[in-house]
Amino acid sequence: NGFKEIGPLKTWRGEKFRTLVYGDKTLFTEFRLKAGSQLPSHAHVYEQTGYLIAGKIRLTIGDEVFDVEPGDSWCIKGNVNHSAEILVDAVAIEVFSPVREDYLPG
């Protein structure tokens, strides 16, 4: 599991993402998100940490709402409801733990 295994861009709910690298306990992804799109409220077992490289996102985690700009980061604990509204075309990097098997290349 190394840099040679960077996955191709995939589509998830209309957004593009790719797995950059993964190990035994974490998975590192890049998301390319279009302005005007929304990621509906959902929860999963994975802890999810992220860093916004470009754009602007309104992120809801539990009952809190954050306007996220480049350079901002976040942490979403497992099984916590969260959603996002993409305000400006965005690029985000996120890490999931444990590894999301549905995001593995191939």
Side-chain angles (χ1 to χ4, degrees):
N1 308 341
F3 66 91
K4 294 178 188 172
E5 296 186 27
I6 291 176
L9 280 173
K10 297 181 183 179
T11 302
W12 178 82
R13 295 187 180 184
E15 304 301 337
K16 295 189 182 297
F17 78 96
R18 63 184 177 153
T19 295
L20 299 174
V21 68
Y22 61 95
D24 292 333
K25 297 180 182 176
T26 60
L27 180 129
F28 194 63
T29 57
E30 174 190 56
F31 286 89
R32 296 179 186 208
L33 309 163
K34 289 289 181 194
S37 62
Q38 295 198 9
L39 305 176
S41 183
H42 64 285
H44 45 66
V45 299
Y46 311 100
E47 182 172 84
Q48 178 177 346
T49 56
Y51 178 80
L52 191 64
I53 294 173
K56 187 172 183 180
I57 297 173
R58 180 162 295 134
L59 186 60
T60 301
I61 303 171
D63 295 331
E64 296 186 84
V65 178
F66 306 93
D67 281 345
V68 182
E69 297 186 349
D72 290 342
S73 57
W74 57 90
C75 180
I76 305 167
K77 300 213 179 271
N79 300 310
V80 172
N81 282 323
H82 56 285
S83 63
E85 177 183 355
I86 313 309
L87 303 174
V88 175
D89 285 356
V91 177
I93 300 293
E94 292 194 298
V95 175
F96 294 90
S97 179
V99 170
R100 285 191 68 143
E101 303 234 347
D102 56 332
Y103 282 14
L104 291 175

